[in-house]
Amino acid sequence: MTHSGRSGYRRLAAPAVMFTAHRLKRRIEARFGDRGLTRVAAEVARSVAQVADATEASRARVRRATWYARAAGAVVILIGLVALAAALRDAIGNGPDNSFDWLPLVESTIQNIVFGGLAVLFVWALPQRLERQRLLSELYRLRSLAHVIDMHQLTKDPERAHPTYTPTDESVDIELTADELHHYLAYCSELLSLVAKTAALCAEDTSDSVVLDTISTLERLTVDLSNKIWQKISLLPV
């Protein structure tokens, strides 16, 4: 996290999340070797790096797009004002004498102002919509990654660690002791937390309500999955 003087830590910094992700990957690899969970941890670390790189490049891209959009909006406003001034000058000089005959002209002017305003709003909002699509794509990928992590812990039943457990012909052999199972499940919970932190990185430079709602949904998903994992951990023999 980055420090902001006396204000304390206010932003989630990508390097800190990336460091934690790589350290977790090394911890998992040191205990479990090249198991699937180690490869998932590597994928989480890659996701953090991709989000960080994309966010950094996006800042410059959005600034450029915003400048172009505002310039285009200013041109639309200028053209609209010039057209309106020309229409008013022509109407005043050559307009009808009957006041009721002015109604079509007034109606047409109002329509032009409304359509011009909509065009300006569309152009100014375009950079935000383009950025929304990129962020949503990243968030959907992170949501899939959260479900992959959940799949890895799905068969890790704490009942298997009890001495009285009797397997069936269809039981999956997890080949983990109670202590290893505890670490395995705890690592899954940490990976889910890192997925949520990676999603939070997407919110550092946006106020888009759709993006923020998607991030909140993803955070709730990871918390729910993590809670289920810790329920399993609580059932392990001491």
Side-chain angles (χ1 to χ4, degrees), residues 213-225:
D213 287 344
T214 306
I215 292 172
S216 296
T217 301
L218 180 54
E219 288 175 337
R220 286 194 297 271
L221 171 66
T222 56
V223 169
D224 289 343
L225 295 176

Side-chain angles (χ1 to χ4, degrees), residues 112-234:
N112 290 336
I113 293 174
V114 170
F115 290 141
L118 292 175
V120 171
L121 290 176
F122 174 82
V123 170
W124 283 12
L126 186 59
Q128 185 182 45
R129 285 198 297 272
L130 294 176
E131 182 66 4
R132 174 191 295 173
Q133 293 302 315
R134 183 191 70 80
L135 291 174
L136 290 179
S137 177
E138 293 284 355
L139 292 171
Y140 295 153
R141 187 169 56 83
L142 289 172
R143 182 180 61 185
S144 297
L145 188 55
H147 285 293
V148 170
I149 296 169
D150 185 56
M151 286 296 296
H152 275 268
Q153 67 84 31
L154 201 59
T155 59
K156 306 304 184 290
D157 189 349
E159 183 184 357
R160 299 170 185 272
H162 289 269
T164 58
Y165 172 71
T166 303
T168 68
D169 294 337
E170 298 299 325
S171 297
V172 179
D173 187 8
I174 59 176
E175 299 180 348
L176 295 174
T177 65
D179 183 65
E180 290 173 334
L181 188 55
H182 182 284
H183 286 291
Y184 192 99
L185 293 172
Y187 288 149
C188 287
S189 179
E190 289 186 57
L191 286 171
L192 288 169
S193 180
L194 277 172
V195 169
K197 296 297 180 290
T198 306
L201 288 174
C202 298
E204 289 297 306
D205 296 301
T206 184
S207 58
D208 190 299
S209 60
V210 176
V211 173
L212 296 178
D213 287 344
T214 306
I215 292 172
S216 296
T217 301
L218 180 54
E219 288 175 337
R220 286 194 297 271
L221 171 66
T222 56
V223 169
D224 289 343
L225 295 176
S226 185
N227 286 340
K228 292 178 181 178
I229 290 174
W230 281 101
Q231 287 175 4
K232 284 188 173 184
I233 292 175
S234 68

